[in-house]
Amino acid sequence: MWKREQKQSVGNQCLVSNRTLNTWKEAMPMDDEAGSELHSADAEQNSEPMSEEMLRNAYHLSRLRSSSVEIREKGSERLKEELAKAQRELKLKDEECEKLSKVREQLEQELEELTASLFEEAHKMVREANTKQATAEKKLKEAQGKIDVLLAEVTALKTLVITSTPSSPNRELHPQLQIPSKAVFKKGHGRNKSMSNAIVTATTQNSQLQPMNKDGREINLILYDEFLAWKEEPTLDKVCPFLERIYQEDIGPCLSFAKHELTEAVQAAVESNTLSIEPAVVQALPVVKASAIECGGPKKCALSGLSRTCKHRIKLGDSGSYFYISPSCRSRITAVCNFLTYIRYIQQGLVRQDVEQMYWEVMKLRKEMSVAKLGYYTEEL
């Protein structure tokens, strides 16, 4: 009887488990193959009585299926939460990137404005500096002109003061010392001796009043006009009338030597300002022989070919050849170099003299070339 009751209770449990399994199967979706197998198994189970072990396995299977469904649901919910969280983070990142891009654009705009303002300020400073420089140069030029005028006035005053002494006063500075010309001829009768003395005195006074040119020079108007025309546009071109005349009359004859080939080289070096003159040492270095030109020696001049004591030697440009020259040839070359150097200084605006002083300095240098080309020179100790 107890066994019968036990069997009935087991049967009741199996019926309850079957009902639960059927309810769970109806609620859960299944795959086609699995569903068909389960349906077939259920059909077989419904058709045949199920054993206790089969019912227990079915119960455990149902619990596993329910737990897997719960896990799947929890996983899907967690994934959804992570997806929502990632989307929120991405949205925040997008907002941050947008803010950063706006900040970058603002910085780029500010940088462009700052660069433009810096360039404008730099150009403004350069313009102000150029204006100040031009003003300073103008003031310097005016000051130099005033200084030249003051120096000329001081020189003139010194000359007048020096020429006026208590023993022999300058009558131009002291008009009260001048004797009127009417006082020479007195009214009434007088002796011939007094008359002659008065005439001599008047003549002496007139001669003192007339300006005396101590240098004994007079401006050649043709040469002066040529110099003025050249001074307006100074150039070293030989075609201009001023330099053309000087080359024909002074420079050409002054640099004309017996050795024609070397003469042309010397003239070219002098015109290009690449000729150097140095004293000739007793024990000279080995001299490099130039092609078809004799370099001469301490006892022979390379330009004239004469046996002379050569105390100097010349070098043309960057060549390694030295040519020994006599004192006369050195004097001629030096005179031409002095003239061309002064002309270059005038062209570069380095000479602070008036036009007439420049003209007389040019004439002085021409005079030195004329004397040198005739063979006169000053012996140096």
Side-chain angles (χ1 to χ4, degrees), residues 206-240:
N206 291 331
S207 62
Q208 290 179 357
L209 293 176
Q210 291 178 357
M212 296 295 294
N213 194 349
K214 297 181 180 180
D215 295 337
R217 61 188 184 184
E218 183 180 355
I219 293 178
N220 187 329
L221 295 179
I222 297 176
L223 301 179
Y224 188 69
D225 291 339
E226 291 178 356
F227 176 74
L228 289 179
W230 176 83
K231 181 65 175 60
E232 292 179 358
E233 295 180 359
T235 179
L236 297 178
D237 192 2
K238 302 178 186 178
V239 179
C240 65

Side-chain angles (χ1 to χ4, degrees), residues 234-251:
T235 179
L236 297 178
D237 192 2
K238 302 178 186 178
V239 179
C240 65
F242 172 68
L243 290 180
E244 184 179 5
R245 177 189 295 274
I246 295 175
Y247 267 93
Q248 291 178 358
E249 297 178 359
D250 299 318
I251 296 178

Side-chain angles (χ1 to χ4, degrees), residues 98-116:
E98 187 176 358
K99 291 180 181 179
L100 291 176
S101 63
K102 290 181 179 179
V103 171
R104 186 184 65 181
E105 292 177 356
Q106 184 178 0
L107 289 175
E108 289 178 352
Q109 185 177 2
E110 291 179 356
L111 182 61
E112 290 179 357
E113 293 176 356
L114 179 61
T115 305

Side-chain angles (χ1 to χ4, degrees), residues 328-365:
S328 176
C329 295
R330 176 185 175 275
S331 177
R332 293 161 68 177
I333 294 173
T334 304
V336 176
C337 290
N338 292 337
F339 173 78
L340 293 178
T341 301
Y342 186 71
I343 290 297
R344 292 191 189 97
Y345 286 166
I346 296 176
Q347 183 192 20
Q348 297 170 5
L350 301 177
V351 181
R352 300 294 182 181
Q353 295 177 341
D354 56 10
V355 179
E356 187 173 350
Q357 290 178 345
M358 292 182 188
Y359 168 78
W360 283 118
E361 185 65 25
V362 169
M363 294 300 108
K364 177 185 175 183
L365 295 173

